Amino acid sequence: MSQEFSVFNPPKRTLMGPGPSDVSPAVLNALSKPTLGHLDPQFVSLMDDVKSLLQYAFKTKNTLTMPISAPGSAGMEACLANLVEPGDKVIVCQNGVFGGRMYQNVIRCGGEAVLVEDPWGEQTKLDKLASALKAHPDAKIVAFVHAETSTGVMNDAQALCQLAREHGCLTLVDAVTSLAGSELRVDEWGIDAIYSGSQKCLSCVPGLSPISFSEAAIEKIKGRKTPVQSWFLDMDLVMGYWGKGAQRAYHHTAPVNSIYALYESLRLVHQEGLENAWNRHQQNHIKLKEGLASIGLTLAVDEAYCLPQLNAVTIPEGVDDKVVRSALLNDFNLEIGAGLGQFAGKVWRIGLMGHTSNEDNVNYCINALKTVLERG
Ligand SMILES: *Cc1c(COP(=O)(O)O)cnc(C)c1O
């Protein structure tokens, strides 16, 4: 080839979109450490620490807690592919993009999906789930998204889980955006299967999906009559690698350096304290909201249930969505998110996730938005 390829030097952006969030220098530094063999005793011991730190972050004692070697979407697939057997009835609550993806996954697993739909920008209504549970007493699983990143809405995970369990259902929760950013208590709230992502409030590099399964979920998996269709995501097989201490068997090559990074990001969450991290996200959300108000912008979601880590901002009449986002990126090295689906062109999504959630970024974003909007 005659073409010359130069070294790639990414610009230094501030990532205030729906993920990835800014990765802290400590985490980037961890990535660059020497690669170990994925069965090296030192690496195996690091895997044990990652598991303990994930149990801390999820607030669970579940032994089946680990990162899947793929992004949040693979965590979603892992939970559904293992728990849903052909013919299983699954109630899926949808009030945004990600609930819709869960629904598609249930169908692909051969399950019978029952949708409980609520409008975008609103919470999943408890009475709607209650009616669905009454109408479908044979439902086995209730699945929902805790923090709906597409709309900026927080669903009431504790109440939804309680209701599902009163009807004998297992609970399956998307915590991709909530983990380490908002209150989340896996054991106390009775969550049976949960998945998250490395690149949102954990502020790690993209590409890993922490998951956790309760004893009841494992029992359902062990009782399957058909094997899990996906070889890679079959928990029985993955557990042979992540679960068996010194006798770990080869399943796939773990993304060794990414696990160093995940360890460092979890260590930072532990050092700060999970509750302190939740508080920090809330405090910076309030500051952002006040700053937005000072330049005439409002949130599209009711304060009672809006996410602190992902703020859906109403785009004012006559303002061009794309022009503003391009100006922020090109002139301020600042990324904010576009609206998805029904919200495309109607809202901006401003993320304050993990390492990104600090006062300097709030001020930077408000000043940049003010400058760009004043240009008209
Ligand atoms: C980002 C996100 C996902 C998908 O995660 P990827 O790492 O992009 O695959 C799933 N659910 C929610 C709620 C998300 O915000």
Side-chain angles (χ1 to χ4, degrees), residues 166-287:
E166 280 165 13
H167 288 79
C169 286
L170 292 175
T171 55
L172 197 165
V173 179
D174 177 319
V176 176
T177 285
S178 56
L179 181 68
S182 300
E183 182 178 12
L184 171 63
R185 301 173 188 276
V186 168
D187 289 356
E188 211 178 301
W189 293 355
I191 296 171
D192 291 299
I194 190 161
Y195 60 91
S196 188
S198 49
Q199 80 280 28
K200 310 235 174 166
C201 294
L202 291 177
S203 272
C204 183
V205 287
L208 292 170
S209 176
I211 55 153
S212 187
F213 289 88
S214 73
E215 285 307 317
I218 293 170
E219 222 169 276
K220 170 127 178 41
I221 297 169
K222 291 208 167 127
R224 287 181 67 106
K225 290 179 202 76
T226 53
V228 174
Q229 187 279 329
S230 165
W231 179 88
F232 184 64
L233 297 173
D234 183 339
M235 280 305 129
D236 238 17
L237 302 176
V238 177
M239 272 297 275
Y241 181 49
W242 267 93
K244 302 234 173 69
Q247 305 130 52
R248 285 202 165 95
Y250 169 64
H251 176 259
H252 66 278
T253 308
V256 172
N257 292 58
S258 292
I259 301 285
Y260 300 167
L262 180 63
Y263 170 79
E264 183 60 19
S265 65
L266 288 164
R267 197 185 69 77
L268 292 174
V269 169
H270 184 258
Q271 195 174 58
E272 178 180 14
L274 194 55
E275 285 79 0
N276 294 334
W278 298 343
N279 272 333
R280 173 169 52 83
H281 283 86
Q282 182 60 23
Q283 298 307 320
N284 290 318
H285 156 71
I286 301 285
K287 285 182 192 132

Side-chain angles (χ1 to χ4, degrees), residues 18 71-73 76 98 101 145 147-149 174 176-177 195 199-200:
S73 306
M76 180 188 290
F98 293 102
R101 289 192 182 177
V145 179
E148 208 4 299
T149 324
D174 177 319
V176 176
T177 285
Y195 60 91
Q199 80 280 28
K200 310 235 174 166

Side-chain angles (χ1 to χ4, degrees), residues 6 14 59 96 117 124 135 189 276 351:
S6 52
T14 300
K59 288 198 171 281
E117 280 185 279
T124 292
W189 293 355
N276 294 334

Side-chain angles (χ1 to χ4, degrees), residues 46-367:
L46 182 75
M47 287 166 77
D48 288 337
D49 289 343
V50 167
K51 181 172 161 179
S52 303
L53 284 166
L54 280 177
Q55 288 170 326
Y56 168 78
F58 275 130
K59 288 198 171 281
T60 184
K61 295 197 170 68
N62 290 341
T63 43
L64 183 42
T65 301
M66 65 186 167
I68 296 276
S69 305
S73 306
M76 180 188 290
E77 258 194 79
C79 287
L80 289 159
N82 281 274
L83 283 178
V84 181
E85 270 199 274
D88 280 354
K89 198 177 259 189
V90 181
I91 298 179
V92 180
C93 305
Q94 184 186 6
N95 54 344
V97 166
F98 293 102
R101 289 192 182 177
M102 284 178 141
Y103 175 80
Q104 294 299 334
N105 267 282
V106 169
I107 292 169
R108 284 181 186 228
C109 293
E112 193 187 323
V114 176
L115 258 190
V116 172
E117 280 185 279
D118 275 288
W120 284 47
E122 290 179 26
Q123 275 185 313
T124 292
K125 308 285 186 306
L126 288 172
D127 57 346
K128 280 197 190 170
L129 175 60
S131 311
L133 285 161
K134 275 191 203 103
H136 300 279
D138 53 339
K140 293 188 173 157
I141 299 167
V142 170
F144 65 88
V145 179
H146 185 204
E148 208 4 299
T149 324
S150 63
T151 64
V153 166
M154 178 79 76
N155 281 318
D156 188 344
Q158 185 175 16
L160 291 168
C161 286
Q162 192 184 334
L163 192 53
R165 288 166 77 90
E166 280 165 13
H167 288 79
C169 286
L170 292 175
T171 55
L172 197 165
V173 179
D174 177 319
V176 176
T177 285
S178 56
L179 181 68
S182 300
E183 182 178 12
L184 171 63
R185 301 173 188 276
V186 168
D187 289 356
E188 211 178 301
W189 293 355
I191 296 171
D192 291 299
I194 190 161
Y195 60 91
S196 188
S198 49
Q199 80 280 28
K200 310 235 174 166
C201 294
L202 291 177
S203 272
C204 183
V205 287
L208 292 170
S209 176
I211 55 153
S212 187
F213 289 88
S214 73
E215 285 307 317
I218 293 170
E219 222 169 276
K220 170 127 178 41
I221 297 169
K222 291 208 167 127
R224 287 181 67 106
K225 290 179 202 76
T226 53
V228 174
Q229 187 279 329
S230 165
W231 179 88
F232 184 64
L233 297 173
D234 183 339
M235 280 305 129
D236 238 17
L237 302 176
V238 177
M239 272 297 275
Y241 181 49
W242 267 93
K244 302 234 173 69
Q247 305 130 52
R248 285 202 165 95
Y250 169 64
H251 176 259
H252 66 278
T253 308
V256 172
N257 292 58
S258 292
I259 301 285
Y260 300 167
L262 180 63
Y263 170 79
E264 183 60 19
S265 65
L266 288 164
R267 197 185 69 77
L268 292 174
V269 169
H270 184 258
Q271 195 174 58
E272 178 180 14
L274 194 55
E275 285 79 0
N276 294 334
W278 298 343
N279 272 333
R280 173 169 52 83
H281 283 86
Q282 182 60 23
Q283 298 307 320
N284 290 318
H285 156 71
I286 301 285
K287 285 182 192 132
L288 181 78
K289 196 180 161 176
E290 289 168 359
L292 289 167
S294 76
I295 56 171
L297 295 173
T298 51
L299 295 185
V301 173
D302 195 315
E303 180 62 38
Y305 48 80
C306 71
L307 294 176
Q309 61 276 64
L310 196 281
N311 300 271
V313 181
T314 306
I315 301 177
E317 203 78 36
V319 170
D320 190 315
D321 166 30
K322 280 196 196 121
V323 169
V324 171
R325 279 186 296 108
S326 305
L328 291 174
L329 192 68
N330 296 326
D331 303 344
F332 295 87
N333 270 315
L334 173 62
E335 177 181 280
I336 65 166
L340 276 184
Q342 289 178 24
F343 276 7
K346 298 198 177 120
V347 303
W348 290 310
R349 292 183 300 151
I350 301 183
L352 283 170
M353 299 182 181
H355 186 64
T356 304
S357 175
N358 63 59
E359 196 168 350
D360 284 350
N361 283 340
V362 170
N363 294 334
Y364 186 65
C365 177
I366 297 297
N367 287 330

